Amino acid sequence: MNLEVDRLNAELKSLDKVLLENELSMNYSKKLLQGPLSDFLTHIGQISMMSRLNGNPIEREDFSSAEINSKEIE
């Protein structure tokens, strides 16, 4: 399991680096949000639902007002 967590964190760092270093066109940004990022969120929702169905609900957390600092991704 730790291998997969490490892989996810490495990919997030890679994505963060690409987004910081490149200005994306509006069209490309829309494709990115409507494609892989949307898919990623869908799967997180499915995992959350399956956990809840198995009696292990994931605790709610509100990130809407959280300070985002990409340097803290580890």
Side-chain angles (χ1 to χ4, degrees):
M1 171 110 167
N2 285 339
L3 181 63
E4 291 300 314
V5 171
D6 293 342
R7 193 176 115 201
L8 173 64
N9 286 331
E11 291 299 326
L12 288 174
K13 283 181 184 179
S14 176
L15 176 61
D16 184 53
K17 183 178 179 186
V18 168
L19 294 175
L20 283 173
E21 294 175 353
N22 300 288
E23 185 172 328
L24 305 178
S25 70
M26 183 59 77
N27 196 33
Y28 189 82
S29 297
K30 287 179 183 178
K31 285 182 181 180
L32 185 63
L33 285 172
Q34 293 171 350
L37 295 179
S38 225
D39 190 46
F40 178 76
L41 293 174
T42 297
H43 290 296
I44 289 175
Q46 291 170 336
I47 291 168
S48 176
M49 179 187 67
M50 287 187 276
S51 280
R52 182 172 292 279
L53 289 172
N54 284 307
N56 300 311
I58 296 172
E59 191 174 318
R60 291 181 182 186
E61 193 163 345
D62 180 12
F63 292 102
S64 64
S65 60
E67 181 180 331
I68 297 172
N69 182 353
S70 62
K71 306 289 187 262
E72 292 181 9
I73 298 175
E74 295 193 41

